[in-house]
Amino acid sequence: MTMKAMLLMALLPASAAIADETEYLCTSEINGEIIQIFQDADRSEARLVVQNTEGAASVAHGLDGVTFIHIKTDEVWTLALHFPTMTYELSTHGATSIEDHGHCTKRG
């Protein structure tokens, strides 16, 4: 990612999607919290917004879905999105340990 692109991402609010991005809006079945995923046009990178935390995520494509991996200093988040059912599973390991699941809708 270029320095210009990183600066632009830092200046945009988390809720503002770039025109070429695909946004997934996911709702937890456990606690009703919202997870936003903004995937870039070439589908190689994404941004996750979970609770009050936003971060870049690597993207691993599978047969019927995609996995987003966000690595922080003290924990790793893995979110698997299944396209046929538009369901997700989120797990975090490290400083916090969370297991979550729910449904997503696609925008853009």
Side-chain angles (χ1 to χ4, degrees):
M1 178 180 292
T2 68
M3 193 65 151
K4 185 176 180 180
M6 290 182 355
L7 179 60
L8 180 60
M9 281 180 53
L11 295 174
L12 291 174
S15 61
I18 297 173
D20 291 343
E21 287 183 326
T22 300
E23 178 185 3
Y24 297 99
L25 189 62
C26 303
T27 305
S28 170
E29 291 181 2
I30 294 175
N31 58 20
E33 287 186 329
I34 301 297
I35 299 170
Q36 290 176 287
I37 304 166
F38 299 97
Q39 190 173 19
D40 65 6
D42 71 1
R43 309 266 188 245
S44 65
E45 296 179 355
R47 290 181 295 127
L48 294 179
V49 181
V50 181
Q51 297 164 352
N52 292 322
T53 303
E54 178 177 357
S58 299
V59 180
H61 298 275
L63 293 175
D64 66 350
V66 63
T67 300
F68 302 97
I69 304 163
H70 173 67
I71 301 173
K72 294 173 59 171
T73 318
D74 56 352
E75 62 190 17
V76 175
W77 300 357
T78 305
L79 188 145
L81 174 57
H82 309 283
F83 291 133
T85 58
M86 290 305 287
T87 58
Y88 77 90
E89 290 91 31
L90 169 69
S91 63
T92 67
H93 302 281
T96 60
S97 183
I98 299 170
E99 297 293 328
D100 187 27
H101 64 276
H103 288 84
C104 299
T105 56
K106 180 180 175 181
R107 297 182 184 178

